[in-house]
Amino acid sequence: MKRITEAFQKARSEGRGAFIAYLTIGFPSIEASERAADDLIAGGADIIELGVPFSDPFADGGVIRKAAYEALRQGVTLDDVLATAKRLRAHHASTGLVLFTYYNLVFSKGLEAFADAAADADIDAVLCVDLPLEEREELLAALRPRNISFIPLIAPNTPMERVAASAQGLDNSFLYVITVKGITGERKELPPDLTGRLDEIRKCTSLPIAAGFGISTREQAKTVCAHADGFVVGSAIVKRLAEGKKAEL
Amino acid sequence: MGKKRLIAETGAGMHGVATATVAALLGMPCDVYMGAIDVERQSPNVERMRLLGARVVAVEEGSATLKDAMNEALRDWVANCDDTFYVIGTVAGPAPYPRMVRDFQSVIGKEARRQCLAKFGRLPDQAIACVGGGSNAMGLFAGFIDDPAVKLVGVEAGGKGLATGEHAASINGGRVGVLHGAKTMLLQTADGNIIDTYSVSAGLDYPGVGPEHCHLADTGRAEYSVIDDAEAVAAFDALCRYEGIIPALESSHALAEAIKRAPSLPKDALLLVNLSGRGDKDMENVKRWKERNAANLPEPL
Ligand SMILES: Cc1ncc(COP(=O)(O)O)c(C=O)c1O
């Protein structure tokens, strides 16, 4: 099944961008993040990114960091997140599920054991925040035979040849284009050169492109989707959960 | 390079002071990230950095020590990479930092080698240095790496003892992992989260180690031993009293290892110890450690 490809196709056929929602699994509790995923899917999310809490979230802003620390305090591990994914899959057959993690958690489990567990949970793809292009082959070699894809991150200063190389050999995936230089977290304004950058990236890949980091309002999502196939919302959702509100856009 | 601003992370504050000094000299703004616990226990260096015009940012998260300072510096850097140069303070972090830092620090080994030959007419039998991230050790080792007769010894911080789990000995007590862009030995839980480290010395309080040290440990070219807080403090006291030199607590770990090894060596054995820093910054820290451990202070050497 190519749920990620299909999610983007479905969104396009409906004349909109795909909505990708990030959750730190285990915040405020495993049950609550599972319910939040249900709510988001009911509210139209096409793909859910399941964030795995890590002790040293150096690519994350304050909101997601706090969520990760709280989840860790409750003892939430990669295995718990995979078990959550498996439960979500049981009643969301067509939603794309992406595991969003720091590499040491995956590496520590062992790449083969991890890939087996991810396949058992019927995860569609893995995104490793701190696994650069040059080092990703080992993980991809474990994922490929299980039909699990990989989502590359594209930074604002990633050269175009590297964008193309990052997209190379991937199927049932998308390019996660980071909107701003910096870490996750809401931004009042997105950089003025973002739309031009998205247009440029579009030219070097046949994969869908989705923009993320800093997006928190409908207005921002709309602007981005005029130039991209989808958008990611993370901190804004986690912040709502932190405030005891329902997860929705 | 067109960079207009410097940032650094620092544990004991030595690297922060060095970076702040360069920034003052070049007229560049400088932000130094430092764990809140380290700000507290290394306050003389905090004052030095401030005098030199740097902004010291206390990092409260995680274990509030060196790794958390590095996390925060990385966050700053990804946001400001256009105009900011990140001066990493040890042989850790993503490539090519470990190699760059080693090459810069190699002045230590080159100079030590020359001085040994000039003063003793021969190379040392052993070259001993403490290992936090591993930069002073790698700098020392670089001068002798091609002299197979010179034994290279790195000394990790044993904190309250390896068995207590409260230490910072990544090679002796850790497992392979990936952190801050490097594959290296890490102190981590069974599921891959990084463990809070402990050492009386702020500069050794890091859960990883430069990847090249792991390579040297694997090939056997260097060996890595462990010195705990009490042994380091005893060596600190001894150097003060017998030589009139106040060493950094970090360097006192290397010194303690030399003191441990010496009795079983021939009288004419030559041990080269890297005194990587001076101990003014540690006066208060050592005093407080002695107060906390008044019941079982180490025997004077
Ligand atoms: C005096 C001194 N020695 C050693 C170290 C440890 O660092 P490294 O292992 O990178 O040399 C520090 C770190 O702050 C230090 O201040």
Side-chain angles (χ1 to χ4, degrees):
Chain A
M1 240 203 257
K2 301 206 165 171
R3 295 190 190 91
I4 293 179
T5 308
E6 284 161 14
F8 280 96
Q9 278 167 356
K10 177 164 173 279
R12 187 174 312 135
S13 71
E14 293 169 4
R16 60 180 178 88
F19 169 27
I20 302 161
Y22 169 95
L23 290 167
T24 299
I25 301 302
F27 177 80
S29 68
I30 296 247
E31 298 69 35
S33 41
E34 219 170 306
R35 239 175 297 126
D38 289 336
D39 290 345
L40 287 162
I41 294 166
D46 301 285
I47 295 172
I48 301 286
E49 288 182 347
L50 302 120
V52 189
F54 179 53
S55 55
D56 291 82
F58 48 80
D60 283 302
V63 170
I64 291 180
R65 252 142 63 200
K66 272 205 199 98
Y69 298 148
E70 173 54 26
L72 285 175
R73 202 188 55 76
Q74 297 175 30
V76 175
T77 65
L78 172 60
D79 286 342
D80 294 324
V81 178
L82 288 166
T84 304
K86 191 169 176 169
R87 285 192 301 275
L88 284 172
R89 173 58 76 218
H91 41 275
H92 300 291
S94 65
T95 306
L97 295 181
V98 173
L99 195 84
F100 189 106
T101 184
Y102 286 81
Y103 186 57
N104 195 50
L105 300 173
V106 167
F107 180 81
S108 167
K109 187 170 174 67
L111 300 184
E112 289 296 316
F114 165 72
D116 276 339
D120 181 55
D122 208 354
I123 293 257
D124 298 293
V126 175
L127 187 161
C128 276
V129 192
D130 55 345
L131 185 64
L133 176 60
E134 291 76 5
E135 306 291 341
R136 78 184 191 186
E137 189 42 43
E138 236 179 316
L139 175 62
L140 290 193
L143 297 178
R144 222 176 269 124
R146 281 115 171 154
N147 286 319
I148 301 172
S149 190
F150 181 83
I151 312 290
L153 285 172
I154 305 297
N157 54 352
T158 304
M160 284 304 150
E161 317 82 72
R162 198 177 165 86
V163 173
S166 298
Q168 195 83 49
L170 297 177
D171 179 27
N172 193 32
S173 176
F174 63 92
L175 293 189
Y176 187 132
V177 178
I178 301 174
T179 57
V180 287
K181 289 204 183 86
I183 53 181
T184 59
E186 298 175 52
R187 307 289 200 285
K188 279 214 178 65
E189 279 171 37
L190 296 176
D193 57 349
L194 173 63
T195 52
R197 168 102 182 136
L198 289 167
D199 293 342
E200 231 186 306
I201 290 171
R202 154 94 65 222
K203 286 189 219 134
C204 29
T205 179
S206 55
L207 288 179
I209 60 179
F213 281 35
I215 299 175
S216 62
T217 66
R218 265 172 203 284
E219 215 41 57
Q220 288 172 327
K222 235 180 243 164
T223 309
V224 157
C225 285
H227 302 262
D229 306 296
F231 63 100
V232 188
V233 181
S235 294
I237 293 172
V238 176
K239 192 170 145 206
R240 285 187 66 87
L241 293 174
E243 290 163 352
K245 294 183 189 154
K246 192 174 157 192
E248 60 187 359
L249 188 62
Chain B
M1 295 170 85
K3 307 288 180 180
K4 296 183 167 54
R5 169 177 174 255
L6 297 179
I7 57 170
E9 90 295 340
T10 197
M14 305 303 280
H15 175 63
V17 169
T19 308
T21 305
V22 171
L25 191 67
L26 300 177
M28 295 168 90
C30 176
D31 287 344
V32 180
Y33 292 94
M34 190 169 186
I37 289 181
D38 295 341
V39 167
E40 167 76 23
R41 64 179 162 172
Q42 304 282 273
S43 57
N45 276 344
V46 175
E47 220 29 62
R48 282 192 187 99
M49 287 183 264
R50 288 187 175 140
L51 273 173
L52 290 160
R55 190 169 68 107
V56 179
V57 184
V59 179
E60 308 272 356
E61 269 179 51
S63 54
T65 57
L66 184 53
K67 86 168 162 75
D68 310 284
M70 193 150 183
N71 288 341
E72 203 54 33
L74 283 167
R75 290 183 191 115
D76 180 321
W77 195 37
V78 293
N80 300 300
C81 54
D82 286 336
D83 70 347
T84 297
F85 188 80
Y86 179 13
V87 192
I88 296 190
T90 189
V91 286
Y97 273 106
R99 201 166 359 135
M100 274 171 26
V101 175
R102 174 202 61 198
D103 289 349
F104 295 141
Q105 295 285 324
S106 68
V107 293
I108 301 170
K110 285 179 189 151
E111 192 174 317
R113 190 175 192 280
R114 212 180 305 140
Q115 283 188 27
C116 267
L117 289 174
K119 202 160 169 144
F120 306 107
R122 67 183 181 96
L123 294 176
D125 297 298
Q126 306 192 17
I128 306 174
C130 65
V131 176
S135 59
N136 86 90
M138 201 46 81
L140 183 72
F141 293 176
F144 301 96
I145 196 94
D146 296 326
D147 301 312
V150 180
K151 196 179 265 193
L152 306 177
V153 183
V155 184
E156 298 194 298
K160 298 180 182 173
L162 269 193
T164 66
E166 292 192 57
H167 59 81
S170 322
I171 293 177
N172 283 283
R175 185 161 69 77
V176 182
V178 176
L179 179 68
H180 295 148
K183 184 176 179 186
T184 187
M185 294 295 275
L186 293 175
L187 296 172
Q188 53 183 318
T189 61
D191 48 70
N193 285 296
I194 307 306
I195 292 175
D196 289 353
T197 50
Y198 165 79
S199 167
V200 66
S201 86
L204 304 185
D205 214 343
Y206 182 70
V209 59
E212 197 173 351
H213 282 294
C214 302
H215 172 69
L216 295 181
D218 280 351
T219 61
R221 179 63 190 94
E223 52 185 270
Y224 293 85
S225 52
V226 179
I227 286 290
D228 66 23
D229 285 358
E231 294 169 309
V233 169
F236 173 94
D237 280 348
L239 197 70
C240 292
R241 258 180 298 109
Y242 296 122
E243 300 286 346
I245 297 170
I246 305 174
L249 260 181
E250 291 80 9
S251 326
S252 301
H253 286 71
L255 197 63
E257 181 66 21
I259 293 170
K260 214 180 206 175
R261 284 172 181 243
S264 61
L265 296 172
K267 260 225 138 14
D268 62 349
L270 205 53
L271 299 184
L272 171 64
V273 176
N274 191 12
L275 279 196
S276 52
R278 46 191 239 179
D280 329 28
K281 68 181 180 62
D282 290 311
M283 309 303 287
E284 186 62 27
N285 191 22
V286 169
K287 191 175 129 216
R288 278 195 235 160
W289 186 90
K290 286 177 179 166
E291 284 160 9
R292 280 200 305 278
N293 294 276
N296 38 18
L297 285 180
E299 285 291 312
L301 292 165

